[in-house]
Each structure stands twice: as structure tokens, then as C-alpha cells.
Amino acid sequence: MVLIMRKTLKLVAITGVLLFGISMGTQAQKTKVRYADDQMEQMNYQHALDMYKEAYAKKPNYETARKTALASDKIRDYQGAYTWWKTTVGYEEATIEDYQQLLRTGILTENFKEASGMIESKGITADSLGITPGSIPMSSRKLKVEAVEGLNSSESDFGVALDGEGNKYFVSDRGGSYSEEMPGVRIDGRNKLFSPDKSDYTDRGYFTVYKQDKSGNVSTVVSDVPGAMSFSDPSYAVQDKLLFYSVTRNITKVKKHRDIQVQPEIYYSRVNAEGKLEGAQAFPYNDSIGYSVMHPYVDEQAKRLYFASDNRDSTWNGQGGYDLYYSEYSKVGDSLVFSKPVNLGAGVNTPGNEVYPFRKDNKFYFSSDGHKGLGGLDIFEANYTAASISGVRNMGTPINSLADDFGYKEDKDRTVYLSSNRRGGMGLDDVYMAQEMYKQFLARVLDCNGNVITESYLATFRDKTQGVMVPTARNGKGELTAELEPESDFGMTISKPGYFPLTDESISTKGFEGDTVKREYRLVPIPYQLPVHVDIVYYDLDKFVIRKDAMPALDKLAELMEKYSFLDLLVASHTDSRASDEYNIRLSNNRAKAVTEYLSGKGIDANRVRLEWFGESQLVNDCGNGKPCSEDSHQLNRRSELVLEAFPDPTKQYDIPQELKDMDFCEPEDLFEKIQEEIADIPTIYFDFDKSMLRSVHKQELERVGAMLKRMPHLMLYIEGHTDQRGGDEYNQKLSERRAEVVREYLIKRGIENSRLEYQWFGKTRPIHNCDEVTCTPAMHQLNRRT
């Protein structure tokens, strides 16, 4: 009597299948096709495929070609299936379903255009059959998928589990090949006899679990389950140091059963200090001859064991194919107690196959060929709560491919591990690692007070290496965010109307080992029409010709304007009160024009000079119509006030001047001081011996100081009074006070607030020339009599 034993291999590289060896002698009476049909019934698809190929080679026909295509599909050899579907549709008996299968495998093998052309020659279109290349979305995370170094072989490698200490457990059948290579993607099988050395289904060694340590060394993990043949699907419980896994045991005898079908089961073992397994215990809902239980994932946080099963018992509420379940557990002594399995429901499970569960935080992951996708198995993501799993969605490329993708796991640092038989792999199935391609960028854009600017501004981010623009966004704190390609250089400009644009060309991810590139910027308002220097030039009565005494001031202005392109000049011209108002308006206009013409002769464009003229309407004193005034007083009114303004056009976006890159424009006084350093002409007022009266010439200088203070309300003025060293201390102290006071009072009369004027007096204590030590000339004494 020959016992028929069933064991189930990995679903798309799921759990090893043990194919029996059949004595062809006992099948001598059967044709190859009938024998292959029998093998298909027993899910021994590879063996059936070999027989169909032999049968077709001997006698080609439509039926055998179609069966060969179906067998190729069953073991997920999509290239082979496509080739056989092409052969199938070449026969007159080909059906609409055959054309659909040709298009489907054409999509999977990137031969859709060729397949479409074949059926169009028969007057059929892909659209009419409802088969078009599926549109797999891109993953919401930009990931770079690469084979994991040191794990893969020329055989089948899949199913990574992490133990929290840097070790990786994975599955492989690299134990040695005994015959030709078979496709690594395969589904459930039934078998009649176990080989002691190899899986007759694959002609390679049985699947077993391996461990790669932190140093990259790979060692075999030995199952402590008696009779374990195929050993796969590791899942590590970090807290209790338990390894869960699937095994297919060597069951050779069951009472009252003539035929048995050996199924995979779930076990768990302790991992001892030496890394060996001990104390194996079975999941209580195993049934080694009734149904498959496999792909355990232990969720320590929720105290649940997730798994896949094809149990058809109505109490398990199966949806078809393999479904996903969970069983809650608690620890009692050295054992775990499990609740009755709960089906995850129709939102997750389909009439197809759902396998390889995994959860992290509020996301649940699994593989399926029942949900809409492209390829055999695709990886899906869903929303997780303890009460439900909902919102299933395809994870898109590059997680999924045209081939089978399964075994999704995610580490603490968001590194993703998955298994796939996609093109370009090293073996039949390979383990891949998907890491974030993007580095995160986070910038705080601050105002002058250190507050994050949340209102609108434009950030232009350029990937200089890739030659593309980088999208930006704002997070909940108003901070600027972006995702950056690795190993690239970037440039960014932040602009906002009325503010200096910011440019940063130093951003780079080349050699950057962190996750987030952080920056902090300060966006500074442009100080439009900021006065940085004020001067006054005077005119002769009824004249607008530039006098010689005015030329040095205008020459200095021309020099500054030539040096700094962001400086323009405001010329406000006036007359005294003599002559008519109309005449004086024209005269003040001519005086303003005269300044423009003089500066043009120095190379300054007239467009950089803004003119205002007021006639006699803005006198600096009481010398109005009919009032008697000295000629010196009238002279003070015949003037042009020259205001050098920075950033003069309020409609223009200015860059921070290159020569002032290091200046803090949040403090406008800094720019004023910069210009004053180049002019160095804050006046000194000199006095006659034993006097505190202002000289006429110094009144002109004080007019300029007053004009400067009016134009620059952020400025304060500090006044110091001094005397020469002749006379007593007390007398000189009072004299120096009067000299400081006369300057202060003059400016107050010109409209300057007293609060902006601070004055002190020092008598003879701070001389320019110490006449107690040297004999001073009259000129040296004069330099000491000052404010």
C-alpha cells in the first residue's frame, strides 16, 4: 500500500513542497497527458508541466498546449506561460479566455505590445477584452530597492525576520541542487513520498531557516521539531525570545487513513543564549492532514499571532484560497495560551490568496493575488486598529513589481525588507531591502524677532545634481519641508514681496548620514527709502548755479552712488521768501535740476536722482514775507537738502548687496553707520573765546544735523560741551554747559524732540591739546573750544 502524503510549500516561495517520486512503471498504462492531468489534480504542478511538455513534443495540439500554459501559470513561471499562451492562441480552437490569458501574461512579462499585435491580427482588441496594462501607483514613500548583501544565493531566499539585536533570520533552499533548476515561484502541492535528501518538487534541498549575525556571518538554524523537513517563515518575539515558524513534518503513518496530505504547521521555540532552538511547542490550531497553517507573525504589542490558512471549515469563515487570521495569546508559565482564530474579514481576505501578514504601528501589511494588482502576489497596506483593518491599498512601485512580491517587514528605522522573484535577482527568490531614497529637509524661516514666518512666501528648491525642481511643503508648525535625493547638491531661494530674497547654495546630501538636513533662515524686510546720509548745499540769491563750496559734498555723494548701486538721491530744493511764490517755485525747480546735471557730469544717471521743489513754502526760520532778517538767515533758506536713500524704489525686489552680505539688515542703523564711516563728517561746532554764541557757518552745519534727524527718526544725538584750559574749573564747567545747551536749543527750534537729544558738559577736563603740558597756539586753543 502506498500512502499519499501532502505537504504545502511556500505560496510564491512560501513553504517547501515535498514532491513524491512516482514509479513510472505503475503508470505505464496511462498516457503522458492523463498522467499529467492527475499530477495537476494533486497540485504537483512542476511534474505535470514536464509531462505536458513531453506530450506536446510528441503530438502537438491545442489541448496540450493550453494545459502546458496553465501548468506554467500555476508555478508562476510567467515567461514560460506567455510562451505557451502564444502557442495556444495559434490554434483555431483558441477561445476568448485564451486571448485574455495571453494579454495577462504579456503584461507580467512586459510583452503586452507584442501580445496585443497578435490578437489584433485576428480582429480582436485588448480593450474589447477588458485587459489593459494595470496602473500600479508609485509608493507614497520614495524608496530605493536593492538586494540585501550577504543573504541571497542562486537558489530561493526569502522571508526576513529581525530579532532586535541586529541578527536577521531568513529562509533558503540553498542546501544543494540535484537536478535542473526549477522556477522558484510555486504554490501548494500534494506528494506521495518524502525523499530524505531533497524536495522532489524542486530537486533542491528543503527550505530551512538561516541566521545572519551583525558581522554578516550566515549559519543554519536547526529546528527542534521532530521530523521537520521544510522549515520556514520565521517571526521573532523579542520580549520572550521565542521564534515562531512554519514546518512540514515527515509524517509516514496515520491510522484509519489510506491517503494523507501533509500540511504545514506553526510551531514556536525558545532561542537560548547560544542561539539554538529548544522546547518546541505546536500552535493548538494546527491540523497536519486537514489544512495548512503557516506564515506566522507575532505581534507582541497586541498579543496576537497572525497567520495564513486554507481551512474550509465554516466556523473559520474562510473567503477562499488562503485567508489571514489572528489568534490572541497570553503567557502561562513557559507556554502560550491561544484563543480561537479570527478571520480578518472580507475587507482583507478575498477568494484568492492572502499571505505573509505584518503590522507596524497603525499599518497592516500583507501579500495577495486576490486584490487588484499587477504581478502574481502584490504587497498591500491597510489601516490598523485593534477592532478592524480597513482601507486596503496597493503599495505601488517599487515595492511591487510585475513578479511576486511578499514577506514585507519594516525595521525601527523604517528600513523595509521584502522578498521577490522580480527580474534582475541573484536567484529564484531574493531578499530585498527598501530604504528611503529621500533625505528630509526641515527649515525654520524666521522674522527679525525670531518668530517662524507662517504667512505666504515662495521657496524655490533646485536639485543641482539631477537638474530638477524639488517640491516643498509646510508642516503644522509652519516650517519648510522637502524630500531630497541622496548624493545630490541643492540650491534654494526664499522670496517674499518686500523682503530680501534668501539664497542657500550649500545644501547637500552627499556623504550625509543623518535623516534630516536642518536649516534656519532669517527673512529680512527691505528698508525701502532708508536715509543713510543727509547733506545741504546752498545757493546765492536768485541763482541756481552750483557754488564751489557745494561741490565737495556733491562729489562725495557721486562717489558713494557709483560704489553702491542700491543708493539713490532725493533732492529737495528751496528758496528764501523774497520774490513771488510762482517765481520761487521755478527757482527751486532749477536748483534741483542743477544738482542732477552736476551729478550727471560725474557719471550718475539722472534716473537715480529724485527731485522735489518747494519754493519758499518750507522756511527753516521766521524770515517770511516782509519780516526783517539778516542775510545769513536768508542764506539758510536758499538750499537743496540732499538725502541719500538706500533701496529707493518700493515696487522693486532688491537683493542684499554683495558688498554688504555680512550686514545685519534687521538693524537699519548698521547701514547708516556703514555709510557714515565712509563720510566721517558728523560736525564739530567751534566757539569764540569765552563765548557760547553760534557762529553763522556752524548754523549751516546744524541745519544739516537737524535735517538728518528729521529724515532718520531712529537716530539719537549725543552733544558734548568743552572749553579751552584758560580760566577756573567752575567757570569753564558752566561755560561748557552753555555751549552744549545752545546746540540743543537750536535743534529743538528746528523741530527735533528733546527726548532724542542727550547732552553733557566737561569744562576743560577733556582737551584736544593739553595746554598745561605744552605751550598752545591760538589755533590749538580754538580746537579745545568745541561742542
Side-chain angles (χ1 to χ4, degrees), residues 108-298:
L108 296 178
T109 57
E110 302 180 14
N111 290 303
F112 182 76
K113 185 175 181 180
E114 180 187 63
S116 298
M118 291 181 65
I119 68 168
E120 285 174 3
S121 67
K122 300 176 182 294
I124 303 171
T125 64
D127 287 341
S128 68
L129 297 179
I131 305 292
T132 57
S135 177
I136 291 186
M138 290 293 293
S139 171
S140 59
R141 296 166 60 188
K142 188 165 185 181
L143 300 167
K144 184 177 183 180
V145 177
E146 295 180 316
V148 177
E149 185 176 352
L151 260 60
N152 296 313
S153 67
S154 60
E155 309 301 327
S156 188
D157 307 280
F158 60 94
V160 168
L162 308 170
D163 67 358
E165 297 179 1
N167 301 307
K168 299 182 181 71
Y169 293 86
F170 67 101
V171 182
S172 180
D173 60 359
R174 63 184 64 183
S177 294
Y178 298 85
S179 180
E180 64 179 357
E181 289 187 353
M182 301 293 182
V185 182
R186 46 209 165 268
I187 205 162
D188 182 34
R190 294 185 178 91
N191 310 279
K192 294 182 180 179
L193 185 65
F194 287 103
S195 164
D197 301 316
K198 65 182 178 67
S199 166
D200 292 323
Y201 182 66
T202 64
D203 278 335
R204 295 192 303 277
Y206 291 113
F207 287 115
T208 193
V209 175
Y210 292 82
K211 182 173 77 170
Q212 183 191 54
D213 64 22
K214 290 178 286 188
S215 301
N217 302 311
V218 175
S219 59
T220 304
V221 178
V222 178
S223 172
D224 63 328
V225 176
M229 303 295 284
S230 181
F231 170 35
S232 64
D233 308 330
S235 177
Y236 195 89
V238 175
Q239 296 172 6
D240 294 320
K241 295 188 180 301
L242 298 176
L243 188 70
F244 289 74
Y245 47 87
S246 304
V247 293
T248 304
R249 294 183 292 136
N250 184 2
I251 298 176
T252 58
K253 185 176 182 180
V254 178
K255 292 181 180 180
K256 299 181 181 180
H257 284 270
R258 176 182 175 133
D259 296 338
I260 62 171
Q261 302 167 351
V262 181
Q263 310 282 355
E265 305 166 277
I266 292 176
Y267 277 75
Y268 62 95
S269 302
R270 290 191 307 277
V271 182
N272 65 24
E274 290 75 36
K276 299 184 183 300
L277 303 186
E278 60 185 18
Q281 298 190 56
F283 179 55
Y285 297 96
N286 291 335
D287 189 340
S288 61
I289 61 172
Y291 52 82
S292 299
V293 179
M294 57 188 181
H295 305 158
Y297 167 66
V298 56

Side-chain angles (χ1 to χ4, degrees), residues 107 120 130 149 191 316 387 408 423 437 481 494 519 585 728 784:
I107 292 172
E120 285 174 3
E149 185 176 352
N191 310 279
W316 280 43
Y408 182 99
R423 288 185 176 184
M437 282 190 67
T481 63
I494 298 175
R519 290 289 190 274
I585 284 290
N784 289 334

Side-chain angles (χ1 to χ4, degrees), residues 114 278 298 317 348 465 522 604 608 719 743:
E114 180 187 63
E278 60 185 18
V298 56
N317 301 313
V348 172
T465 303
R522 188 162 60 172
I604 304 301
R608 296 182 62 192
I719 305 167
V743 171

